[in-house]
Amino acid sequence: MSWPLLFVAGCFEIAWAIGLAYSDGLSRPVPTLVTGVAMLVSVVLLARAVEELPVGTAYAVWTGIGAVGTASLGIVLFDESATLARIGFIGLIVVGIVGLHLVSGGP
């Protein structure tokens, strides 16, 4: 159950990272509240995943999911650059996440 928890934790990390952009420097109350809740949920789920997974693996996967999702949504939502190089490096992060999952004996 730790790998699915870790995936959901990573999704909430994406939510809070994107929420930072919508909160306008934490000056808009509703986006700031949503961002704070997403942060809390993300860290709590990460803590639960670390009960069964090595902390280094879990943290690397959690941040990787957050980085890939946030960078991808930055391209879609905020018109950030989508160069071939950028997409390729995002892909390398995905390869790292999958690799860590495989060598850690994940389901």
Side-chain angles (χ1 to χ4, degrees), residues 30-79:
V30 173
T32 298
L33 178 63
V34 171
T35 299
V37 169
M39 285 178 170
L40 180 63
V41 170
S42 180
V43 171
V44 167
L45 292 175
L46 173 62
R48 295 293 308 271
V50 168
E51 290 175 355
E52 295 181 18
L53 296 173
V55 67
T57 299
Y59 185 76
V61 170
W62 179 69
T63 58
I65 291 169
V68 167
T70 303
S72 299
L73 285 176
I75 292 168
V76 173
L77 298 174
F78 305 119
D79 200 31

Side-chain angles (χ1 to χ4, degrees), residues 2-105:
S2 55
W3 283 101
L5 282 175
L6 187 57
F7 176 76
V8 174
C11 291
F12 274 95
E13 185 186 6
I14 296 165
W16 71 255
I18 295 298
L20 288 174
Y22 285 109
S23 74
D24 195 26
L26 303 178
S27 66
R28 297 178 58 212
V30 173
T32 298
L33 178 63
V34 171
T35 299
V37 169
M39 285 178 170
L40 180 63
V41 170
S42 180
V43 171
V44 167
L45 292 175
L46 173 62
R48 295 293 308 271
V50 168
E51 290 175 355
E52 295 181 18
L53 296 173
V55 67
T57 299
Y59 185 76
V61 170
W62 179 69
T63 58
I65 291 169
V68 167
T70 303
S72 299
L73 285 176
I75 292 168
V76 173
L77 298 174
F78 305 119
D79 200 31
E80 294 177 4
S81 72
T83 64
L84 186 57
R86 183 173 181 174
I87 293 168
F89 287 120
I90 291 170
L92 288 174
I93 298 170
V94 172
V95 169
I97 293 167
V98 171
L100 284 170
H101 184 262
L102 291 174
V103 301
S104 298

